[in-house]
Amino acid sequence: MDIAIAVGLIMGLAAVGAGIGNGLVMSRYIEGIARQPEARGLLFTQALIGLGLVEALPVIALAIGLILFGRIG
């Protein structure tokens, strides 16, 4: 029972962290386009890489949660 609560907390906090991270990456992307519109292509590529790295956090948390949850079964 305690591990189920821990897994829920892990996944919930990872989702919140990813949401905040995605917001920060995209706000900086929009700010960069506003400052230098000609660098849009380069900034878009870097923003997608940044979003991919941020989205890796919930996937890793899911894997850890499933590993922990599998130990009680």
Side-chain angles (χ1 to χ4, degrees):
M1 181 72 178
D2 292 336
I3 293 182
I5 293 171
V7 170
L9 277 172
I10 288 171
M11 291 195 206
L13 291 175
V16 168
I20 292 171
N22 284 341
L24 289 173
V25 169
M26 292 312 291
S27 70
R28 299 297 190 246
Y29 168 65
I30 292 170
E31 182 180 330
I33 289 176
R35 288 176 186 255
Q36 287 187 328
E38 67 274 1
R40 182 177 186 161
L42 178 64
L43 291 175
F44 182 70
T45 304
Q46 291 177 349
L48 286 182
I49 291 171
L51 286 175
L53 291 173
V54 168
E55 285 298 321
L57 174 70
V59 173
I60 293 169
L62 175 67
I64 291 171
L66 291 175
I67 289 170
L68 289 176
F69 198 67
R71 290 190 180 177
I72 64 169

